[in-house]
Amino acid sequence: MPSARFEQPVLSLFRMVIGVLFACHGAATLFGVLGGPHGEVPSVGQWPGWWAAVIQLTGGALVLAGLGTRPAAFLCSGSMAYAYFVHHQGDGLFPLQNGGESAALFCWAFLLIAALGPGQWSLTTLLNLPARRREEVSNDPSNA
């Protein structure tokens, strides 16, 4: 199957783009960069605004780097599900009606990343590469 050749690189690129976009939301809220926060700036420790921004920045950075990808993506997905159901759902049934498109898209994108993993271009893969190569060499029947 020719498309299988591109699955891991495309997954890695998808993960990186989603991670950087999410981290930008957190940076905008916490540090007033990239156009600043959309809405009121939360004070340190304020629930849920400040905590959501911390999850966005750190979770997005971890997903971008591919380090602790599955748990970070799962946490990011949950935070976006919370945002959607608590802050958007009351304003209408559909995301287009209630302004929750980005929350819904981020939620499902992060759930996909949590399920599929980081792809081949990640810090986790890079850090485990020598150990995996030793295993592959020792399990290769042609080396016997």
Side-chain angles (χ1 to χ4, degrees):
M1 176 190 259
S3 67
R5 179 176 136 196
F6 300 108
E7 286 176 6
Q8 290 299 308
V10 169
L11 174 59
S12 296
L13 290 172
F14 179 77
R15 172 189 49 79
M16 290 178 206
V17 169
I18 295 297
V20 76
L21 291 174
F22 204 59
C24 286
H25 278 276
T29 301
L30 292 173
F31 306 117
V33 296
L34 306 169
H38 300 286
E40 189 177 316
V41 176
S43 57
V44 175
Q46 178 186 3
W47 177 259
W50 185 83
W51 290 102
V54 168
I55 290 170
Q56 290 167 354
L57 181 61
T58 57
L62 287 169
V63 167
L64 168 64
L67 192 61
T69 305
R70 288 179 193 262
F74 189 73
L75 178 64
C76 293
S77 177
S79 74
M80 288 294 94
Y82 175 87
Y84 183 79
F85 288 112
V86 171
H87 296 288
H88 296 285
Q89 186 65 44
D91 296 333
L93 178 62
F94 297 107
L96 191 59
Q97 294 173 313
N98 63 33
E101 297 98 337
S102 62
L105 286 170
F106 274 125
C107 177
W108 286 103
F110 280 119
L111 192 60
L112 180 69
I113 293 167
L116 298 179
Q120 68 186 21
W121 299 336
S122 69
L123 281 180
T124 300
T125 303
L126 182 66
L127 295 172
N128 290 332
L129 193 57
R132 287 198 338 198
R133 280 199 180 145
R134 282 192 302 270
E135 280 181 22
E136 289 171 4
V137 169
S138 66
N139 291 334
D140 188 1
S142 65
N143 291 333

